[in-house]
PDB file of all heavy atoms in Angstrom:
ATOM      1  N   GLY A 204      92.148  92.343 108.877  1.00 87.00           N
ATOM      2  CA  GLY A 204      92.724  92.471 110.185  1.00 87.00           C
ATOM      3  C   GLY A 204      93.201  93.990 110.342  1.00 87.00           C
ATOM      4  O   GLY A 204      93.409  94.699 109.313  1.00 87.00           O
ATOM      5  N   PHE A 205      93.373  94.382 111.576  1.00 90.00           N
ATOM      6  CA  PHE A 205      93.666  95.763 111.838  1.00 90.00           C
ATOM      7  C   PHE A 205      94.512  95.829 113.122  1.00 90.00           C
ATOM      8  O   PHE A 205      94.038  95.340 114.160  1.00 90.00           O
ATOM      9  CB  PHE A 205      92.436  96.558 112.003  1.00 90.00           C
ATOM     10  CG  PHE A 205      92.624  98.050 112.267  1.00 90.00           C
ATOM     11  CD1 PHE A 205      93.237  98.873 111.385  1.00 90.00           C
ATOM     12  CD2 PHE A 205      92.305  98.548 113.503  1.00 90.00           C
ATOM     13  CE1 PHE A 205      93.445 100.192 111.609  1.00 90.00           C
ATOM     14  CE2 PHE A 205      92.492  99.920 113.767  1.00 90.00           C
ATOM     15  CZ  PHE A 205      93.099 100.756 112.814  1.00 90.00           C
ATOM     16  N   GLY A 206      95.697  96.380 113.069  1.00 95.00           N
ATOM     17  CA  GLY A 206      96.520  96.492 114.222  1.00 95.00           C
ATOM     18  C   GLY A 206      97.357  97.766 114.245  1.00 95.00           C
ATOM     19  O   GLY A 206      97.183  98.648 113.377  1.00 95.00           O
ATOM     20  N   LEU A 207      98.238  97.898 115.181  1.00 96.00           N
ATOM     21  CA  LEU A 207      99.054  99.057 115.346  1.00 96.00           C
ATOM     22  C   LEU A 207      99.939  99.272 114.052  1.00 96.00           C
ATOM     23  O   LEU A 207     100.155 100.320 113.575  1.00 96.00           O
ATOM     24  CB  LEU A 207      99.932  98.956 116.573  1.00 96.00           C
ATOM     25  CG  LEU A 207     100.904 100.102 116.830  1.00 96.00           C
ATOM     26  CD1 LEU A 207     100.173 101.471 116.889  1.00 96.00           C
ATOM     27  CD2 LEU A 207     101.729  99.874 118.055  1.00 96.00           C
ATOM     28  N   GLY A 208     100.428  98.132 113.558  1.00 96.00           N
ATOM     29  CA  GLY A 208     101.252  98.171 112.338  1.00 96.00           C
ATOM     30  C   GLY A 208     100.472  98.806 111.158  1.00 96.00           C
ATOM     31  O   GLY A 208     101.040  99.529 110.331  1.00 96.00           O
ATOM     32  N   ASN A 209      99.161  98.537 111.078  1.00 97.00           N
ATOM     33  CA  ASN A 209      98.403  99.190 110.007  1.00 97.00           C
ATOM     34  C   ASN A 209      98.331 100.624 110.175  1.00 97.00           C
ATOM     35  O   ASN A 209      98.434 101.467 109.175  1.00 97.00           O
ATOM     36  CB  ASN A 209      96.926  98.622 109.996  1.00 97.00           C
ATOM     37  CG  ASN A 209      96.900  97.173 109.626  1.00 97.00           C
ATOM     38  OD1 ASN A 209      96.785  96.288 110.539  1.00 97.00           O
ATOM     39  ND2 ASN A 209      97.000  96.831 108.361  1.00 97.00           N
ATOM     40  N   LEU A 210      98.173 101.138 111.392  1.00 97.00           N
ATOM     41  CA  LEU A 210      98.172 102.613 111.650  1.00 97.00           C
ATOM     42  C   LEU A 210      99.495 103.247 111.275  1.00 97.00           C
ATOM     43  O   LEU A 210      99.555 104.335 110.715  1.00 97.00           O
ATOM     44  CB  LEU A 210      97.871 102.836 113.140  1.00 97.00           C
ATOM     45  CG  LEU A 210      96.460 102.530 113.640  1.00 97.00           C
ATOM     46  CD1 LEU A 210      96.278 102.849 115.107  1.00 97.00           C
ATOM     47  CD2 LEU A 210      95.406 103.319 112.833  1.00 97.00           C
ATOM     48  N   ILE A 211     100.558 102.526 111.577  1.00 98.00           N
ATOM     49  CA  ILE A 211     101.910 103.062 111.289  1.00 98.00           C
ATOM     50  C   ILE A 211     102.111 103.102 109.784  1.00 98.00           C
ATOM     51  O   ILE A 211     102.606 104.136 109.255  1.00 98.00           O
ATOM     52  CB  ILE A 211     102.981 102.271 111.984  1.00 98.00           C
ATOM     53  CG1 ILE A 211     102.904 102.407 113.495  1.00 98.00           C
ATOM     54  CG2 ILE A 211     104.339 102.658 111.486  1.00 98.00           C
ATOM     55  CD1 ILE A 211     103.832 101.570 114.288  1.00 98.00           C
ATOM     56  N   LEU A 212     101.752 102.050 109.066  1.00 98.00           N
ATOM     57  CA  LEU A 212     101.882 102.008 107.621  1.00 98.00           C
ATOM     58  C   LEU A 212     101.100 103.105 106.971  1.00 98.00           C
ATOM     59  O   LEU A 212     101.510 103.797 106.043  1.00 98.00           O
ATOM     60  CB  LEU A 212     101.528 100.692 107.095  1.00 98.00           C
ATOM     61  CG  LEU A 212     102.529  99.497 107.306  1.00 98.00           C
ATOM     62  CD1 LEU A 212     101.886  98.227 107.027  1.00 98.00           C
ATOM     63  CD2 LEU A 212     103.818  99.684 106.520  1.00 98.00           C
ATOM     64  N   LEU A 213      99.851 103.272 107.440  1.00 97.00           N
ATOM     65  CA  LEU A 213      98.924 104.209 106.831  1.00 97.00           C
ATOM     66  C   LEU A 213      99.391 105.640 107.136  1.00 97.00           C
ATOM     67  O   LEU A 213      99.399 106.508 106.287  1.00 97.00           O
ATOM     68  CB  LEU A 213      97.563 103.976 107.395  1.00 97.00           C
ATOM     69  CG  LEU A 213      96.397 104.789 106.708  1.00 97.00           C
ATOM     70  CD1 LEU A 213      96.267 104.434 105.260  1.00 97.00           C
ATOM     71  CD2 LEU A 213      95.058 104.549 107.445  1.00 97.00           C
ATOM     72  N   GLY A 214      99.793 105.874 108.414  1.00 97.00           N
ATOM     73  CA  GLY A 214     100.347 107.217 108.761  1.00 97.00           C
ATOM     74  C   GLY A 214     101.561 107.585 107.872  1.00 97.00           C
ATOM     75  O   GLY A 214     101.751 108.709 107.444  1.00 97.00           O
ATOM     76  N   ASN A 215     102.376 106.618 107.642  1.00 98.00           N
ATOM     77  CA  ASN A 215     103.617 106.858 106.849  1.00 98.00           C
ATOM     78  C   ASN A 215     103.229 107.214 105.365  1.00 98.00           C
ATOM     79  O   ASN A 215     103.775 108.167 104.774  1.00 98.00           O
ATOM     80  CB  ASN A 215     104.476 105.622 106.837  1.00 98.00           C
ATOM     81  CG  ASN A 215     105.718 105.768 105.926  1.00 98.00           C
ATOM     82  OD1 ASN A 215     106.534 106.672 106.105  1.00 98.00           O
ATOM     83  ND2 ASN A 215     105.835 104.913 104.931  1.00 98.00           N
ATOM     84  N   VAL A 216     102.280 106.491 104.857  1.00 98.00           N
ATOM     85  CA  VAL A 216     101.846 106.851 103.454  1.00 98.00           C
ATOM     86  C   VAL A 216     101.219 108.200 103.315  1.00 98.00           C
ATOM     87  O   VAL A 216     101.519 108.955 102.388  1.00 98.00           O
ATOM     88  CB  VAL A 216     100.803 105.713 103.038  1.00 98.00           C
ATOM     89  CG1 VAL A 216     100.086 106.209 101.782  1.00 98.00           C
ATOM     90  CG2 VAL A 216     101.520 104.360 102.736  1.00 98.00           C
ATOM     91  N   ILE A 217     100.414 108.572 104.296  1.00 97.00           N
ATOM     92  CA  ILE A 217      99.822 109.889 104.315  1.00 97.00           C
ATOM     93  C   ILE A 217     100.891 111.012 104.321  1.00 97.00           C
ATOM     94  O   ILE A 217     100.880 112.003 103.604  1.00 97.00           O
ATOM     95  CB  ILE A 217      98.806 110.037 105.533  1.00 97.00           C
ATOM     96  CG1 ILE A 217      97.665 109.137 105.293  1.00 97.00           C
ATOM     97  CG2 ILE A 217      98.402 111.524 105.642  1.00 97.00           C
ATOM     98  CD1 ILE A 217      96.687 109.124 106.550  1.00 97.00           C
ATOM     99  N   MET A 218     101.919 110.821 105.177  1.00 97.00           N
ATOM    100  CA  MET A 218     102.968 111.804 105.257  1.00 97.00           C
ATOM    101  C   MET A 218     103.805 111.774 103.972  1.00 97.00           C
ATOM    102  O   MET A 218     104.261 112.876 103.500  1.00 97.00           O
ATOM    103  CB  MET A 218     103.816 111.491 106.439  1.00 97.00           C
ATOM    104  CG  MET A 218     103.221 111.771 107.808  1.00 97.00           C
ATOM    105  SD  MET A 218     102.810 113.474 108.118  1.00 97.00           S
ATOM    106  CE  MET A 218     101.110 113.581 107.716  1.00 97.00           C
ATOM    107  N   LEU A 219     104.033 110.623 103.380  1.00 97.00           N
ATOM    108  CA  LEU A 219     104.747 110.564 102.127  1.00 97.00           C
ATOM    109  C   LEU A 219     104.058 111.309 101.046  1.00 97.00           C
ATOM    110  O   LEU A 219     104.652 112.012 100.232  1.00 97.00           O
ATOM    111  CB  LEU A 219     105.018 109.128 101.686  1.00 97.00           C
ATOM    112  CG  LEU A 219     106.052 108.373 102.513  1.00 97.00           C
ATOM    113  CD1 LEU A 219     106.167 106.940 102.030  1.00 97.00           C
ATOM    114  CD2 LEU A 219     107.403 109.048 102.457  1.00 97.00           C
ATOM    115  N   TRP A 220     102.737 111.139 100.903  1.00 97.00           N
ATOM    116  CA  TRP A 220     101.955 111.840  99.935  1.00 97.00           C
ATOM    117  C   TRP A 220     102.005 113.319 100.190  1.00 97.00           C
ATOM    118  O   TRP A 220     102.135 114.209  99.221  1.00 97.00           O
ATOM    119  CB  TRP A 220     100.486 111.392  99.946  1.00 97.00           C
ATOM    120  CG  TRP A 220     100.230 110.189  99.014  1.00 97.00           C
ATOM    121  CD1 TRP A 220      99.878 108.940  99.383  1.00 97.00           C
ATOM    122  CD2 TRP A 220     100.369 110.183  97.622  1.00 97.00           C
ATOM    123  NE1 TRP A 220      99.813 108.101  98.334  1.00 97.00           N
ATOM    124  CE2 TRP A 220     100.069 108.852  97.188  1.00 97.00           C
ATOM    125  CE3 TRP A 220     100.755 111.089  96.610  1.00 97.00           C
ATOM    126  CZ2 TRP A 220     100.132 108.473  95.870  1.00 97.00           C
ATOM    127  CZ3 TRP A 220     100.813 110.712  95.347  1.00 97.00           C
ATOM    128  CH2 TRP A 220     100.474 109.409  94.944  1.00 97.00           C
ATOM    129  N   ALA A 221     101.907 113.753 101.476  1.00 97.00           N
ATOM    130  CA  ALA A 221     101.900 115.207 101.814  1.00 97.00           C
ATOM    131  C   ALA A 221     103.242 115.850 101.373  1.00 97.00           C
ATOM    132  O   ALA A 221     103.323 116.884 100.880  1.00 97.00           O
ATOM    133  CB  ALA A 221     101.666 115.363 103.325  1.00 97.00           C
ATOM    134  N   TYR A 222     104.363 115.118 101.667  1.00 97.00           N
ATOM    135  CA  TYR A 222     105.668 115.612 101.247  1.00 97.00           C
ATOM    136  C   TYR A 222     105.854 115.637  99.727  1.00 97.00           C
ATOM    137  O   TYR A 222     106.385 116.607  99.168  1.00 97.00           O
ATOM    138  CB  TYR A 222     106.773 114.726 101.855  1.00 97.00           C
ATOM    139  CG  TYR A 222     108.142 114.931 101.288  1.00 97.00           C
ATOM    140  CD1 TYR A 222     108.797 116.148 101.477  1.00 97.00           C
ATOM    141  CD2 TYR A 222     108.703 113.978 100.362  1.00 97.00           C
ATOM    142  CE1 TYR A 222     110.090 116.360 100.909  1.00 97.00           C
ATOM    143  CE2 TYR A 222     109.937 114.200  99.826  1.00 97.00           C
ATOM    144  CZ  TYR A 222     110.590 115.404 100.065  1.00 97.00           C
ATOM    145  OH  TYR A 222     111.797 115.607  99.487  1.00 97.00           O
ATOM    146  N   THR A 223     105.311 114.565  99.053  1.00 97.00           N
ATOM    147  CA  THR A 223     105.444 114.448  97.569  1.00 97.00           C
ATOM    148  C   THR A 223     104.736 115.583  96.897  1.00 97.00           C
ATOM    149  O   THR A 223     105.262 116.285  96.038  1.00 97.00           O
ATOM    150  CB  THR A 223     105.061 113.121  97.109  1.00 97.00           C
ATOM    151  OG1 THR A 223     105.778 112.080  97.750  1.00 97.00           O
ATOM    152  CG2 THR A 223     105.292 113.003  95.611  1.00 97.00           C
ATOM    153  N   ILE A 224     103.471 115.763  97.189  1.00 96.00           N
ATOM    154  CA  ILE A 224     102.635 116.753  96.519  1.00 96.00           C
ATOM    155  C   ILE A 224     102.924 118.176  97.006  1.00 96.00           C
ATOM    156  O   ILE A 224     102.485 119.132  96.309  1.00 96.00           O
ATOM    157  CB  ILE A 224     101.132 116.479  96.623  1.00 96.00           C
ATOM    158  CG1 ILE A 224     100.697 116.639  98.156  1.00 96.00           C
ATOM    159  CG2 ILE A 224     100.772 115.115  96.098  1.00 96.00           C
ATOM    160  CD1 ILE A 224      99.197 116.403  98.315  1.00 96.00           C
ATOM    161  N   SER A 225     103.632 118.386  98.136  1.00 96.00           N
ATOM    162  CA  SER A 225     104.063 119.722  98.456  1.00 96.00           C
ATOM    163  C   SER A 225     105.310 120.169  97.778  1.00 96.00           C
ATOM    164  O   SER A 225     105.777 121.247  97.973  1.00 96.00           O
ATOM    165  CB  SER A 225     104.230 119.701 100.053  1.00 96.00           C
ATOM    166  OG  SER A 225     105.436 118.965 100.437  1.00 96.00           O
ATOM    167  N   CYS A 226     105.838 119.296  96.961  1.00 94.00           N
ATOM    168  CA  CYS A 226     107.067 119.567  96.193  1.00 94.00           C
ATOM    169  C   CYS A 226     106.825 120.785  95.265  1.00 94.00           C
ATOM    170  O   CYS A 226     105.719 121.011  94.746  1.00 94.00           O
ATOM    171  CB  CYS A 226     107.457 118.369  95.364  1.00 94.00           C
ATOM    172  SG  CYS A 226     108.747 118.661  94.148  1.00 94.00           S
ATOM    173  N   HIS A 227     107.854 121.598  95.083  1.00 93.00           N
ATOM    174  CA  HIS A 227     107.703 122.766  94.260  1.00 93.00           C
ATOM    175  C   HIS A 227     107.380 122.443  92.840  1.00 93.00           C
ATOM    176  O   HIS A 227     106.669 123.135  92.120  1.00 93.00           O
ATOM    177  CB  HIS A 227     109.030 123.592  94.294  1.00 93.00           C
ATOM    178  CG  HIS A 227     109.458 124.131  95.653  1.00 93.00           C
ATOM    179  ND1 HIS A 227     109.914 123.324  96.641  1.00 93.00           N
ATOM    180  CD2 HIS A 227     109.390 125.364  96.178  1.00 93.00           C
ATOM    181  CE1 HIS A 227     110.093 124.066  97.744  1.00 93.00           C
ATOM    182  NE2 HIS A 227     109.816 125.256  97.475  1.00 93.00           N
ATOM    183  N   SER A 228     107.918 121.229  92.379  1.00 93.00           N
ATOM    184  CA  SER A 228     107.632 120.830  91.038  1.00 93.00           C
ATOM    185  C   SER A 228     106.123 120.497  90.829  1.00 93.00           C
ATOM    186  O   SER A 228     105.493 120.856  89.828  1.00 93.00           O
ATOM    187  CB  SER A 228     108.454 119.619  90.676  1.00 93.00           C
ATOM    188  OG  SER A 228     109.800 119.948  90.611  1.00 93.00           O
ATOM    189  N   CYS A 229     105.566 119.853  91.882  1.00 94.00           N
ATOM    190  CA  CYS A 229     104.117 119.561  91.807  1.00 94.00           C
ATOM    191  C   CYS A 229     103.284 120.827  91.800  1.00 94.00           C
ATOM    192  O   CYS A 229     102.249 120.942  91.033  1.00 94.00           O
ATOM    193  CB  CYS A 229     103.710 118.724  93.061  1.00 94.00           C
ATOM    194  SG  CYS A 229     101.974 118.280  93.055  1.00 94.00           S
ATOM    195  N   ARG A 230     103.697 121.792  92.556  1.00 92.00           N
ATOM    196  CA  ARG A 230     102.969 123.158  92.582  1.00 92.00           C
ATOM    197  C   ARG A 230     103.033 123.764  91.189  1.00 92.00           C
ATOM    198  O   ARG A 230     102.037 124.346  90.786  1.00 92.00           O
ATOM    199  CB  ARG A 230     103.657 124.025  93.662  1.00 92.00           C
ATOM    200  CG  ARG A 230     102.980 125.395  93.827  1.00 92.00           C
ATOM    201  CD  ARG A 230     103.578 126.108  95.006  1.00 92.00           C
ATOM    202  NE  ARG A 230     102.875 127.368  95.219  1.00 92.00           N
ATOM    203  CZ  ARG A 230     103.449 128.506  94.797  1.00 92.00           C
ATOM    204  NH1 ARG A 230     104.628 128.536  94.175  1.00 92.00           N
ATOM    205  NH2 ARG A 230     102.796 129.707  95.017  1.00 92.00           N
ATOM    206  N   HIS A 231     104.218 123.664  90.500  1.00 92.00           N
ATOM    207  CA  HIS A 231     104.292 124.274  89.167  1.00 92.00           C
ATOM    208  C   HIS A 231     103.495 123.452  88.137  1.00 92.00           C
ATOM    209  O   HIS A 231     102.884 124.035  87.253  1.00 92.00           O
ATOM    210  CB  HIS A 231     105.728 124.319  88.717  1.00 92.00           C
ATOM    211  CG  HIS A 231     105.936 124.833  87.320  1.00 92.00           C
ATOM    212  ND1 HIS A 231     105.818 126.152  87.029  1.00 92.00           N
ATOM    213  CD2 HIS A 231     106.241 124.202  86.184  1.00 92.00           C
ATOM    214  CE1 HIS A 231     106.040 126.343  85.757  1.00 92.00           C
ATOM    215  NE2 HIS A 231     106.325 125.186  85.229  1.00 92.00           N
ATOM    216  N   ILE A 232     103.483 122.103  88.300  1.00 91.00           N
ATOM    217  CA  ILE A 232     102.741 121.313  87.423  1.00 91.00           C
ATOM    218  C   ILE A 232     101.232 121.611  87.416  1.00 91.00           C
ATOM    219  O   ILE A 232     100.535 121.694  86.396  1.00 91.00           O
ATOM    220  CB  ILE A 232     102.980 119.788  87.686  1.00 91.00           C
ATOM    221  CG1 ILE A 232     104.349 119.361  87.326  1.00 91.00           C
ATOM    222  CG2 ILE A 232     101.958 118.854  86.852  1.00 91.00           C
ATOM    223  CD1 ILE A 232     104.783 117.991  87.773  1.00 91.00           C
ATOM    224  N   ILE A 233     100.727 121.873  88.657  1.00 92.00           N
ATOM    225  CA  ILE A 233      99.322 122.148  88.791  1.00 92.00           C
ATOM    226  C   ILE A 233      98.957 123.545  88.357  1.00 92.00           C
ATOM    227  O   ILE A 233      97.968 123.781  87.647  1.00 92.00           O
ATOM    228  CB  ILE A 233      98.915 121.859  90.230  1.00 92.00           C
ATOM    229  CG1 ILE A 233      99.001 120.377  90.585  1.00 92.00           C
ATOM    230  CG2 ILE A 233      97.457 122.311  90.519  1.00 92.00           C
ATOM    231  CD1 ILE A 233      98.705 120.027  91.990  1.00 92.00           C
ATOM    232  N   GLY A 234      99.672 124.519  88.789  1.00 89.00           N
ATOM    233  CA  GLY A 234      99.325 125.932  88.543  1.00 89.00           C
ATOM    234  C   GLY A 234     100.237 126.676  87.707  1.00 89.00           C
ATOM    235  O   GLY A 234      99.977 127.938  87.329  1.00 89.00           O
ATOM    236  N   GLY A 235     101.283 126.073  87.192  1.00 85.00           N
ATOM    237  CA  GLY A 235     102.242 126.751  86.334  1.00 85.00           C
ATOM    238  C   GLY A 235     101.680 126.980  84.920  1.00 85.00           C
ATOM    239  O   GLY A 235     100.814 126.341  84.469  1.00 85.00           O
ATOM    240  N   ARG A 236     102.278 127.988  84.228  1.00 81.00           N
ATOM    241  CA  ARG A 236     101.938 128.234  82.842  1.00 81.00           C
ATOM    242  C   ARG A 236     100.460 128.729  82.605  1.00 81.00           C
ATOM    243  O   ARG A 236      99.948 128.661  81.497  1.00 81.00           O
ATOM    244  CB  ARG A 236     102.236 127.063  81.941  1.00 81.00           C
ATOM    245  CG  ARG A 236     103.737 126.664  81.962  1.00 81.00           C
ATOM    246  CD  ARG A 236     103.930 125.503  81.017  1.00 81.00           C
ATOM    247  NE  ARG A 236     105.302 125.088  81.045  1.00 81.00           N
ATOM    248  CZ  ARG A 236     105.826 124.072  80.349  1.00 81.00           C
ATOM    249  NH1 ARG A 236     105.002 123.366  79.518  1.00 81.00           N
ATOM    250  NH2 ARG A 236     107.141 123.803  80.421  1.00 81.00           N
TER     251      ARG A 236
END
Side-chain angles (χ1 to χ4, degrees):
F205 180 67
L207 179 58
N209 294 102
L210 291 178
I211 293 176
L212 286 168
L213 190 60
N215 177 61
V216 165
I217 293 174
M218 289 297 100
L219 287 178
W220 273 116
Y222 167 70
T223 303
I224 65 177
S225 68
C226 170
H227 298 73
S228 295
C229 179
R230 184 171 179 262
H231 177 74
I232 290 170
I233 292 177
R236 300 182 180 179

